[in-house]
Amino acid sequence: MMTQFTVSSTSSVLPHRLAMRALSTLASMSSPGTRNLTLNPRLPPQNPNHPIPKSTQIQSPHQNPNTPQSHITNHTPKPKPIDLSYITKLLSRKDWNLLLNHEFKAGRVNLTHQSVIRILQNQENPLNSIRFWIWVLNIEPRIGGDRRAGDVLGNVLYRKGPVLLDLGFVEEIGGMGYRVSEGLLCVLMGSWGRLGLAKYCVEVFGQISYLGITPSTRLYNALIDALVRADSLDLAYLKFQQMASDSCKPDRFTYNILVHGVCKAGVVDEALRLVKQMEGLGIMPNVFTYTILVDGFCNANRLDDAIRVFETMRNRRVQPSEATYRSLVHGAFCSLEPEKAFELLSEFIEREPVLPMAMYDAILYDLSHNSMAEEAACFLKRVRERGHLPDMSVLNVLMTCFIKKLPVDETCELFDSFLLQGLKLGFNTYLSLIQKLFGGGNVDEGSRYLTDMVQEGLVSNVFSYNMILDCLFKCEVIDTAEKIFNDMQRRGVAPNLATFNTLINGYFKAGEIGRARELLVMLLEHGFKPDIFTFTSIIDSLCQLSKIEDAFDVLTEMEEWSISPNDVTYNILIRSLCVVGDVSRSMKLFRKMQSEGIIPDIYSFNALIQSSFKIHKIERAQKLLISMLAFGLTPDNITYTTFIKSLCESGRHSEAKAIFFSMEANGCIPDAYTCKTFVDCLVKAGNCVESQEILQKCKDWGVILEK
C-alpha cells in the first residue's frame, strides 16, 4: 500500500535536505478457526423411552403454507446492485424471514443465480448463509435448488464452520414454517466430512427420523462421501452395508464414492472388486469410475494396469474424458522418473491414433515442470504436426521452460512461430524473454520484443510498468528504462512510490547520481512520502559508496519523518560498520537493535563474528554465536568456517575439530569451502593424519574437494 501525504510547513525543509545528498535506492522492494455455532436446545425428546442426546434433539416442523410466489419472469429488468450489508442485517434479525419476504414483495431483493451466490459467499456468520439458502429454496426452488448454490453453501460452511445442527436452530426455522430438508442435510454432512467430523455425521444420520426425514440413497451417498472425505473408510463401508436394512439400494454414485475411497487409501485391488460387484448388480461403470481407477493405479505405481483401463474403456465403449487422460499423464510423471514416464506415454500415443489436446497439454506441462526443455520442444513439434496447438496457460509455462533451458536463438524462433499463428503470450512470458535477451547483451532483440509487448496492450498499468523498469535496471539498460518511464508518463499512467524507488535505485547503481536526485525531488512533488523502502535503499547505497556518516544522517532524518528503521536497515548499517572495521560502533548499533525488539539476520551476526575474530575477541564471538542460537537463527557454513579458521589460527585445533563435527548434528552439512579451509589449516599445522580423517568425512558427505 502506498501512502500519499501533504508536506507540512514544519517538515518542508527535510525533502530538500534529503534530495541534495547523494541519495539512491538499491532496491525498492523489501526483501479457519473452528467455530461451534450451536444454539441452546429447548425441545423435549420425541420418545421418552429412547432419550436423545441434547446436541441432536430435534423435531420436524411443517412447511410454510404462506410462501410468497416468485416475482421472477423472463423479462425482468436489470437488477439493482445488491446491498450486502443490508441483507446481512436482515438475516441477523430474529424476524429475518418476514423482513426478507417484505423486501422481496417490494422488489428490493432480486433473485438471480449470481446474486444468491454473492450473498451466500459474503456472510461472516455461516448461519446467515444457511438462513438465506433455506429462504431462497422456498421462494425460488429453481435457483435455490441449483447445484452451484449448494456447492457455494458447502464451501462457506467448510471455511467458517463447523456449523453443528442443534435444536435451537431447528426450532428457529420451524417457527417460520421451514424445515431441515434432505438437501440441507446433505450439504451439512459434506462440510462435516471435509472437517473430519466422521462420528458426528454418523450420529446425526442416526437421528434423522426426528427431522421427519427417511433414509434414502441420496442421503446415504452424502454420508458415505463425508466419511470417505474424513478418512473413515471403515465407517463408510459399515454404512454401505446398512443400506439394505433401510431399503436403500446403492447406485453408481455410491460405488464411485467407495472406489475413490479405497483408491485414495491405496487398496486398488479392493476397487476392482467393487467394480465387479457393481457390474454384477447391473450398474455399469462410467467414465468417472474408470478415471478414478486410472488415478488409483498411477498412485500405486501400477502404470501398466492404468493403461489397461483405457483398453477396457474402449471395449466397453466408454469414451475417456480429458480428466482421464490428465490422470494418466500426471500419475506417470509422479510415480516414475520423468524420462521413463515420457517414454511410456510416447509409446501410448503411438498406439492411439486420436487423442484429445488435453493429453498433449498435460505431457507438455509435465515436461516443462521437470525442466525437460529439449524433450518438450521435440514433442511440441510432433503435436503441431498433428494439427494441435497448446492451451494458452500451458503455452506460457512451456515458453518459460524454453527461456530458462534452451539457447536464446532457438527460444526466439519458437516464440515468433507462436506469434505468427496468432497465439497471445502472457506478460510474464514476454518479460522473462526480454530479461534473458537484455541480460545476454542482445539489446536489439530485447527492444523488439519489448515494443511488441507494449503494442499488444500487455503494459497498461503502473504495476506492469514497474516490473519492466525493474527488469531493465537489473539488466543495466538505462536508456531503455528512461524511454519506458517517458512512455509511461506520455500514456497518462501515474507513477507510484514503488516506481520512484525502482528508478532512484537503478540510476544510483548506474552511477547517475544527478538523475537519482531529480527523481527523489519528483517523488516529493508527486505528493509521496518516502517510506521505509526508500530510506533503507538510500542507506544501503550510501554504505556501498563507503559514505557511512551520510548513511547515519539519513537514518536520523528517517526518524524525523516518523519512520522507524527495520531489521533490514539495521543489518545494512551493522554489516557496513564491520566492513570498515568499526566494531565498537557496530556492537552499539547491534544492542540498540535488540533493545527495540528487532532481531538481526544471519548476515549481521556473521559480520560481527568475523570482526570480533579480527580483533582477537574470541569470547565475544562465542557469545554472539550463543545469541544467534537464542534468536532461533541457524549458523550457516560462513559462520562455522569463520570459527574453524580463527580457532585454527589461534592454535585451538581441537575446538575447531569439535565445531566441524557438530555441523551435521546442527543441520548444516559442510560445503567444499568449509572442508577445504579446515583441511588447509590442518595441513599447515602439520596435522596430516587429522586432515586425512577430515577428507574421508567429506567424501562420506558427498563433498568433493579439488586437488
Side-chain angles (χ1 to χ4, degrees):
M1 296 288 293
M2 265 58 75
T3 306
Q4 291 189 347
F5 81 115
T6 303
V7 181
S8 65
S9 58
T10 59
S11 62
S12 61
V13 77
L14 294 176
H16 300 286
R17 288 171 54 196
L18 201 58
M20 293 307 294
R21 293 195 180 101
L23 301 179
S24 72
T25 166
L26 183 61
S28 63
M29 285 83 71
S30 65
S31 27
T34 298
R35 189 182 327 174
N36 184 348
L37 299 171
T38 59
L39 304 172
N40 294 326
R42 300 190 186 120
L43 298 180
Q46 296 295 311
N47 188 342
N49 297 322
H50 299 282
I52 306 167
K54 284 185 79 176
S55 63
T56 54
Q57 291 176 354
I58 42 187
Q59 70 176 12
S60 173
H62 298 288
Q63 179 70 31
N64 185 359
N66 299 317
T67 299
Q69 296 299 313
S70 171
H71 287 184
I72 296 181
T73 68
N74 293 329
H75 303 285
T76 54
K78 186 176 180 179
K80 298 178 182 178
I82 303 170
D83 188 344
L84 294 173
S85 60
Y86 180 63
I87 297 294
T88 300
K89 289 180 182 179
L90 295 182
L91 291 168
S92 300
R93 293 275 299 269
K94 290 184 178 180
D95 53 350
W96 56 268
N97 180 55
L98 293 175
L99 293 171
L100 285 175
N101 285 336
H102 175 74
E103 294 297 308
F104 183 72
K105 289 178 179 178
R108 289 189 289 269
V109 175
N110 296 289
L111 296 181
T112 64
H113 289 287
Q114 291 77 14
S115 65
V116 168
I117 287 173
R118 281 196 63 197
I119 293 171
L120 290 173
Q121 289 176 327
N122 287 276
Q123 299 305 310
E124 183 63 30
N125 184 349
L127 281 178
N128 285 346
S129 297
I130 296 178
R131 291 181 181 115
F132 185 72
W133 190 73
I134 291 173
W135 179 76
V136 172
L137 198 61
N138 283 269
I139 292 291
E140 184 52 62
R142 179 176 58 86
I143 296 177
D146 183 73
R147 181 174 178 178
R148 288 175 295 173
D151 290 343
V152 168
L153 178 61
N155 289 331
V156 169
L157 299 181
Y158 167 67
R159 292 196 312 269
K160 300 181 179 181
V163 178
L164 304 183
L165 188 65
D166 77 345
L167 285 177
F169 180 70
V170 175
E171 186 179 40
E172 173 191 328
I173 62 174
M176 297 176 180
Y178 301 133
R179 61 189 292 270
V180 175
S181 65
E182 183 182 85
L184 176 58
L185 196 55
C186 289
V187 172
L188 285 167
M189 284 197 294
S191 70
W192 299 334
R194 293 169 69 184
L195 291 167
L197 303 179
K199 292 184 178 179
Y200 186 73
C201 290
V202 173
E203 180 184 352
V204 172
F205 185 82
Q207 303 189 48
I208 59 173
S209 60
Y210 296 99
L211 288 168
I213 300 174
T214 57
S216 66
T217 299
R218 179 191 180 191
L219 268 179
Y220 264 109
N221 287 345
L223 174 63
I224 294 170
D225 183 56
L227 297 175
V228 168
R229 287 174 180 269
D231 295 325
S232 295
L233 197 55
D234 291 342
L235 276 176
Y237 260 85
L238 178 63
K239 291 302 167 185
F240 172 66
Q241 293 166 358
Q242 290 178 357
M243 291 182 71
S245 63
D246 284 324
S247 301
C248 296
K249 294 182 179 180
D251 57 12
R252 186 182 288 116
F253 292 103
T254 318
Y255 279 102
N256 282 349
I257 291 167
L258 285 173
V259 169
H260 169 68
V262 295
C263 285
K264 179 181 172 184
V267 193
V268 191
D269 290 329
E270 173 62 14
L272 293 175
R273 190 193 68 80
L274 285 168
V275 171
K276 290 181 180 179
Q277 184 182 96
M278 65 188 291
E279 289 175 335
L281 295 173
I283 304 171
M284 300 309 297
N286 61 2
V287 63
F288 299 103
T289 318
Y290 290 119
T291 301
I292 295 167
L293 285 175
V294 169
D295 193 55
F297 280 127
C298 289
N299 291 335
N301 295 331
R302 294 167 59 176
L303 269 298
D304 292 337
D305 289 329
I307 291 175
R308 275 193 284 272
V309 171
F310 284 86
E311 298 174 4
T312 303
M313 295 179 73
R314 187 186 302 111
N315 295 334
R316 301 285 177 85
R317 297 185 179 180
V318 177
Q319 182 66 35
S321 67
E322 293 186 356
T324 318
Y325 289 109
R326 282 194 295 265
S327 293
L328 176 64
V329 174
H330 296 320
F333 276 96
C334 288
S335 58
L336 299 175
E337 290 295 325
E339 294 79 9
K340 180 64 177 174
F342 182 51
E343 180 183 346
L344 184 146
L345 292 170
S346 297
E347 293 173 358
F348 178 81
I349 290 173
E350 292 300 325
R351 296 193 301 267
E352 299 288 335
V354 179
L355 287 170
M357 189 60 217
M359 181 163 186
Y360 298 128
D361 282 343
I363 294 175
L364 289 170
Y365 175 85
D366 280 306
L367 289 172
S368 303
H369 183 71
N370 287 280
S371 300
M372 299 171 65
E374 293 183 2
E375 292 85 349
C378 292
F379 185 72
L380 177 63
K381 183 179 179 181
R382 291 168 56 191
V383 170
R384 295 172 79 174
E385 288 173 352
R386 292 192 176 195
H388 295 293
L389 289 175
D391 176 79
M392 290 309 301
S393 59
V394 175
L395 181 60
N396 282 294
V397 173
L398 191 63
M399 284 306 309
T400 301
C401 175
F402 291 160
I403 291 166
K404 291 179 180 179
K405 297 295 181 180
L406 291 182
V408 67
D409 292 340
E410 186 177 349
T411 302
C412 290
E413 184 180 343
L414 286 165
F415 199 97
D416 291 337
S417 70
F418 288 132
L419 296 180
L420 287 173
Q421 289 185 288
L423 299 177
K424 305 293 183 181
L425 293 161
F427 174 85
N428 290 328
T429 308
Y430 266 100
L431 192 63
S432 297
L433 180 59
I434 289 168
Q435 186 167 1
K436 183 171 183 177
L437 290 167
F438 280 127
N442 199 336
V443 178
D444 292 338
E445 280 293 285
S447 299
R448 178 171 72 86
Y449 285 111
L450 181 57
T451 301
D452 291 345
M453 188 179 183
V454 175
Q455 291 177 348
E456 288 292 330
L458 297 175
V459 186
S460 57
N461 55 42
V462 65
F463 305 106
S464 54
Y465 272 108
N466 287 350
M467 293 175 70
I468 291 176
L469 288 170
D470 183 58
C471 168
L472 295 175
F473 278 118
K474 285 179 179 177
C475 297
E476 300 180 0
V477 280
I478 311 302
D479 292 341
T480 306
E482 180 72 26
K483 291 177 182 177
I484 288 294
F485 181 57
N486 292 336
D487 179 76
M488 176 182 181
Q489 294 176 298
R490 182 177 59 82
R491 289 171 176 262
V493 179
N496 58 17
L497 186 55
T499 312
F500 287 111
N501 283 342
T502 303
L503 290 164
I504 294 169
N505 167 59
Y507 280 110
F508 204 102
K509 288 178 70 176
E512 299 187 20
I513 299 173
R515 181 58 175 153
R517 289 195 188 116
E518 293 174 7
L519 286 161
L520 182 62
V521 173
M522 192 183 300
L523 177 153
L524 299 165
E525 289 174 347
H526 274 72
F528 293 113
K529 175 182 176 181
D531 62 2
I532 182 66
F533 308 116
T534 315
F535 280 108
T536 299
S537 300
I538 292 170
I539 290 170
D540 189 23
S541 300
L542 290 172
C543 287
Q544 289 192 36
L545 294 172
S546 299
K547 297 184 177 183
I548 307 297
E549 295 306 321
D550 286 344
F552 272 93
D553 287 343
V554 175
L555 179 66
T556 301
E557 191 150 357
M558 180 179 180
E559 294 170 347
E560 292 175 5
W561 280 82
S562 301
I563 298 175
S564 301
N566 60 12
D567 56 335
V568 178
T569 316
Y570 278 118
N571 288 333
I572 291 168
L573 290 167
I574 290 171
R575 291 198 297 272
S576 301
L577 289 170
C578 290
V579 169
V580 299
D582 196 343
V583 182
S584 175
R585 197 173 180 187
S586 67
M587 288 300 301
K588 182 178 179 181
L589 193 62
F590 178 79
R591 285 189 286 270
K592 180 184 177 185
M593 183 180 185
Q594 288 180 298
S595 67
E596 294 178 2
I598 301 174
I599 300 175
D601 63 12
I602 185 71
Y603 305 105
S604 292
F605 272 109
N606 285 342
L608 289 168
I609 289 170
Q610 289 170 340
S611 298
S612 298
F613 275 121
K614 284 180 181 179
I615 59 175
H616 307 293
K617 297 285 187 180
I618 297 178
E619 287 74 16
R620 176 191 287 176
Q622 290 173 334
K623 289 180 179 178
L624 284 167
L625 179 61
I626 294 172
S627 297
M628 181 192 298
L629 296 170
F631 281 123
L633 298 173
T634 302
D636 59 10
N637 272 284
I638 296 175
T639 317
Y640 284 110
T641 303
T642 303
F643 268 94
I644 290 168
K645 184 177 181 181
S646 300
L647 290 171
C648 286
E649 289 174 350
S650 303
R652 300 162 68 167
H653 294 90
S654 58
E655 293 180 50
K657 184 178 179 180
I659 289 177
F660 181 80
F661 282 107
S662 70
M663 292 178 67
E664 183 178 14
N666 291 326
C668 181
I669 301 296
D671 60 12
Y673 177 74
T674 305
C675 295
K676 186 177 185 303
T677 300
F678 191 26
V679 170
D680 288 346
C681 289
L682 292 173
V683 171
K684 187 176 181 180
N687 297 330
C688 295
V689 176
E690 289 190 0
S691 67
Q692 290 295 325
E693 182 185 350
I694 299 302
L695 284 171
Q696 184 58 48
K697 189 64 177 175
C698 292
K699 289 181 181 179
D700 295 340
W701 285 327
V703 179
I704 300 175
L705 302 183
E706 295 181 0
K707 294 183 179 180

